[in-house]
Amino acid sequence: MNALYDFSYLTGSIHEWLSERVSPHAVTIVEMILVGISFMLLFAILGIVLVYAERKVSAFFQQRLGPMRVGKWGTAQTIADVIKLLLKEPLMNKEADKFLFNLAPFVIMIAAFMAIAALPFAKGLQALDFDIGILYVAAVSSLGVIGILLAGWSSNNKYSLIGAMRSGAQILSYELSVALSLLTIVVLTGSLQLSVIVESQADGWWIFKGHIPAFIAFIIFLIASTAETNRGPFDIAEAESELTAGFHTEYSGLKFAFFFLAEFANMFIVSAIGATVFLGGWMPLHIGSWEGFNAVMDFIPPIFWFFGKVSFLIFMMMWFRWTFPRLRIDQLLTLEWKYLLPINLVNIVVMAFLGLMGWHF
Amino acid sequence: MEEIITKELESQEYFINMGPQHPSTHGVLRLVLSLDGEIIRNVEPHIGYIHRSIEKMCEHDSYQQIVHLTDRMDYLSCHINNEAVCLAVEMGLQLEVPERVKVIRTIIGELTRLSSHQLWWGVMGMDLGAITTFLYGFRDREMITDIFEETCGARLTMNYNVPGGLMFDIHPNFQKRTKDFIAHFKKKLPEYDDLLSNNVIFRNRTIGIGKLSKEDAISYGVTGPSARASGFSCDVRKHYPYSAYDKVQFKEVLRSEGDCYARYECRIDEMWESLSIIEQLIDNIPEGPFKTPTKAVIKLPKGEWYQKVETARGEFGVYIISEGQKNPYRVKFRSPGFSNLSALNHMAKDSKIADLVAIMSTLDLVIPDIDR
Amino acid sequence: MKSIINYFKEIYFGLKSLVTGMRVTGHYITHPKEIITQQYPENRDTLKMFERFRGEVVLLHNENNEHRCTGCSACEIACPNGTIEIINKKVDIDGRKVKALDTFVYHLQMCTMCGLCIPACPTDAIKMANTFEHAVFDRSKLTKVLNKPGSKLMDGVK
Amino acid sequence: MDSTAIIFYFIATVMIVFSVLAVTSRRILRAAVYLLFALAGTAALYFMIDYYFLAAVQLIVYAGGIVVLIIFSVLLTSHINEKLDKPAWSKIIYTSLTLAAGLVLTLYTIYDHSFVTETSSPANVTVNLIGERMLSYGEGGYVLPFEVISILLLAAMVGAIVIAKRTPPKS
């Protein structure tokens, strides 16, 4: 691994530089603020880039051009949209529960923030590296649904309420599948720590090393994580042809932007988790004994590998969304409880057997 | 104990207003739903939000002027509506239109049916959450609207028929463009199957949903593809052929299931039938005048006339009572959308909100057609 | 046993149908040449409407500022919406008082572009123009006078 | 006062404030949300003392599970304008008395107990260790409570199904 690409030198030198100048407490606080600011920046960039990407990708799927007016190829379109959303009047239903109505978007955003903090972007570039990393991500991403439920209830709108109910049932059940499909890989790694999982894929990604069960787990993860982010074809909580806009019908302006941003942030988070666990995180693609090929792959910085894999997964999710019709609520639950969960459980057993016999690479 | 539980947890029905502005009512239709959770107990359509009293307006207009009002009823089958009025007036005048007119009317009528079904297909996909189909449907429809624009001068409200024939002759490019379209669309129609018809999600969303038996279809007066999906053979083109429909070979598409998927399949198969009808006629347009001359002011003799045609939605009827004046005494339109809507409650009862959207889509309602 | 086979069959065919659908959309994202969007205001110069397109009614004038409208009001009668108003005046021609066109008022906001006025005209004075950009900020601008100032009847038109 | 202490007192204050709010709020959904904050505060405390597993479990089970279920049931049953009745004075008095007794008992126990300050670094609780403990029946094994809890959950599910299963109205 190319030492040049290790971010721990950079972070380490920042730490040293600070320690020489200020007291240890201040170092902690300054570093916290730095990390916070960088994640906020990441969020803003993610939102702008992903919204633009979604619009362009959907346009090309639909034989359209997409945004073309603001900036070259419409690149500044999202920024214009952000400005428009910021300038919009925040409307609120008269009978709405004001406190909860205002709180809901923040709950969603905070949950996304907490989850994104644990992602390993590259070697040495990870804010929180718990030894229970996957469990932590599963835990905080389950908080997001509270925001949806609160938004739906406090809007005092029946459409919103139905959307919130659907979303609750959906996310609660699909969390199981996401966690179980990730556990299938954990069986092989023996650790929940995200950095360890990435390191364990230095000689090959789990999706290749884990044979068919890993591939099945990957497919299940793709389906279940799409459902967990409330995206089409599982967007029954929004379902604009049935519930107008579902849980965020009554939101406008900045608060709506928060929901919008959280959707894309969640999409990024689940893709990043999928990339980390199944596709080797920031690890480059290595093929057995092809020394020359491996050296070339090593030359590409890990951060590009990470974002490349994440973009691939995000593109897959967009492809799903712009191709398939929406499921009905009972079909959604049937899919989870009758198909994904049983297959997942059997898959884990098979994987455990593979691991026990040492049949994986 | 059981009683207490039942009593305490007795669910309450609640009402929700779906519309007048709602993405899936495709216009200003208001449905008052009584819901028990997600399950619909009752649907009550409230209509009249786009009522323009077209029938009353007809009483003040001359017979040529009535035609253009029908454009604005079922705007997706406007040419067929126009044709119905013209046929009724010609029946009253006992006017025989040239063969050329009959063939052109049939071709354009089938093109209208195709364009309507294409739009319906796109919207059906969008209602079920597949937004991409909407764009694909419109992409193919664009070629038909181009044909219309070149020949008739408008894309949506064509007003190409006049009593006695056509407003002008077909454009020289008409035949070539139509053939190009047929070749193009024959390639694209299988894509429709790939995207929706065979899709497992779509099939689950539509098969067995919104069942309508043949008896109910007849008693509610449902016509068109919606009724033929229930096995009710009601194709006016087959049973009471008008224009050139007696000269072409085509199958009446029938299904027996009566569910959403059957209605969907009916329309998809009708597109194939329409293509074949056009193919049979497009090279055989007889030469001749495009209009039988009429007087500038048409006066129908005293009497009553009823003419029905098959629009993309079902049986459209025109009933004219004349007192011998230049204006009709009374005009009544039997619009298919109105009768089809009346079966909605029967079909949607005890299904889910998402199913209601699918049922509405497969009924293919055009709200101005219902309200007139 | 049969139900288990059916279960897996269902999954197989379900996934297959989904992949078929994705292949269709995948085809279009990889073929950007097939994009059908037209960049409207930019392509104004190359945009050509079909000659029969009905945009608005115009009164034809020749280079001598002459039109063919005799003011017979046939179009006014043919119009179902009261879009056209013909206001006539009496002019002296060879000492005789003759009815002639004073103002040809056209209410674009009421026009449904049905085209009935065109065949109604006995002298082919009016036609449908191809213009389609009718948006204005002031509604009164939609009421137009079609005969140009100072125009008169073409010779020999009756 | 070092930064750890500041963070501790901050979290503790948040927890106390939201706990009080949770029991005093008369809007039931708001009370549930305050409870969520109190529980999240607990998780934060666990994170602070490096008990990551416990913290994550706290988040999954309480914040992500129990509170979501509470909110979900509130969504199903209550209307937005509904407020709980003001409790009777007698109830308030009895509750405060009970609370005070509990507080005294807790404080007495805490101050009576001489805490030994651990100088060595805390034992590294790995996931492996937790997994082994959870499934072992020997000393320090938790397999019995683990299974008992699952029986409790089963009972709760059966109860829920019984309630949800609507008995057809007797005609």
Side-chain angles (χ1 to χ4, degrees), chain A residues 95-337:
Chain A
E95 295 287 309
D97 191 327
K98 289 194 177 50
F99 170 67
L100 296 180
F101 187 83
N102 291 323
L103 178 75
F106 291 97
V107 172
I108 290 191
M109 284 298 278
I110 289 169
F113 259 108
M114 282 167 81
I116 215 167
L119 299 177
F121 292 96
K123 194 175 174 59
L125 197 65
Q126 188 177 8
L128 299 170
D129 193 11
F130 298 135
D131 57 353
I132 44 117
I134 289 183
L135 195 63
Y136 169 79
V137 173
V140 294
S141 64
S142 68
L143 293 181
V145 64
I146 294 178
I148 294 179
L149 290 175
L150 290 183
W153 193 79
S154 63
S155 298
N156 193 17
N157 177 329
K158 284 171 194 161
Y159 284 119
S160 304
L161 191 63
I162 298 174
M165 303 268 228
R166 288 178 171 192
S167 173
Q170 175 187 357
I171 294 184
L172 281 182
S173 33
Y174 274 85
E175 239 165 40
L176 271 176
S177 274
V178 171
L180 282 178
S181 58
L182 292 176
L183 275 186
T184 317
I185 301 303
V186 172
V187 167
L188 295 180
T189 60
S191 171
L192 292 166
Q193 196 167 357
L194 287 168
S195 58
V196 175
I197 292 175
V198 175
E199 292 291 349
S200 70
Q201 304 179 69
D203 52 342
W205 305 347
W206 280 123
I207 191 169
F208 301 131
K209 288 202 293 180
H211 293 295
I212 297 167
F215 187 71
I216 294 175
F218 179 67
I219 300 279
I220 292 174
F221 176 81
L222 260 184
I223 298 173
S225 59
T226 314
E228 223 201 325
T229 46
N230 262 333
R231 279 181 63 86
F234 306 100
D235 56 346
I236 55 162
E238 286 176 47
E240 92 280 351
S241 61
E242 296 153 29
L243 304 179
T244 57
F247 61 92
H248 58 58
T249 306
E250 295 286 344
Y251 282 86
S252 65
L254 190 61
K255 278 176 262 174
F256 169 74
F258 273 12
F259 281 115
F260 203 58
L261 191 56
E263 184 191 325
F264 285 97
N266 281 331
M267 200 163 106
F268 177 80
I269 290 164
V270 292
S271 302
I273 296 291
T276 306
V277 175
F278 293 98
L279 303 180
W282 42 265
M283 280 293 175
L285 176 65
H286 281 184
I287 298 177
S289 52
W290 298 9
E291 293 300 331
F293 178 79
N294 292 351
V296 172
M297 290 292 133
D298 278 343
F299 191 69
I300 302 170
I303 191 119
F304 285 114
W305 276 108
F306 178 78
F307 278 102
K309 289 167 190 174
V310 172
S311 325
F312 168 72
L313 288 182
I314 290 179
F315 178 76
M316 288 300 287
M317 287 166 84
M318 288 180 179
W319 199 345
F320 292 158
R321 171 166 185 179
W322 298 108
T323 306
F324 301 140
R326 187 183 301 119
L327 279 85
R328 204 174 52 211
I329 173 81
D330 57 327
Q331 289 164 356
L332 193 89
L333 298 180
T334 311
L335 175 68
E336 163 67 15
W337 297 103

Side-chain angles (χ1 to χ4, degrees), chain D residues 37-108:
Chain D
F37 288 145
L39 292 171
T42 320
L45 275 188
Y46 288 142
F47 272 119
M48 215 183 81
I49 54 174
D50 289 353
Y51 275 11
Y52 297 133
F53 183 75
L54 203 55
V57 167
Q58 169 86 10
L59 276 181
I60 287 187
V61 173
Y62 285 102
I66 307 267
V67 171
V68 168
L69 284 182
I70 291 176
I71 294 179
F72 206 66
S73 48
V74 172
L75 291 192
L76 287 169
T77 51
S78 86
H79 190 257
I80 191 158
N81 292 326
E82 268 177 20
K83 279 188 181 175
L84 298 177
D85 296 333
K86 221 172 194 163
W89 276 110
S90 59
K91 269 189 192 170
I92 294 178
I93 291 167
Y94 289 138
T95 318
S96 1
L97 281 179
T98 322
L99 272 178
L103 192 67
V104 167
L105 189 69
T106 319
L107 286 178
Y108 176 74

Side-chain angles (χ1 to χ4, degrees), chain C residues 103-120:
Chain C
T103 352
F104 192 112
V105 186
Y106 173 53
H107 299 276
L108 181 56
Q109 73 269 39
M110 293 199 275
C111 184
T112 54
M113 317 295 171
C114 66
L116 286 176
C117 49
I118 311 297

Side-chain angles (χ1 to χ4, degrees), chain B residues 52-61 329-331:
Chain B
R52 294 144 299 170
S53 69
I54 283 181
E55 287 171 8
K56 191 75 189 164
M57 281 161 81
C58 291
E59 294 171 17
H60 298 269
D61 283 348
Y329 174 73
R330 172 82 170 91
V331 175

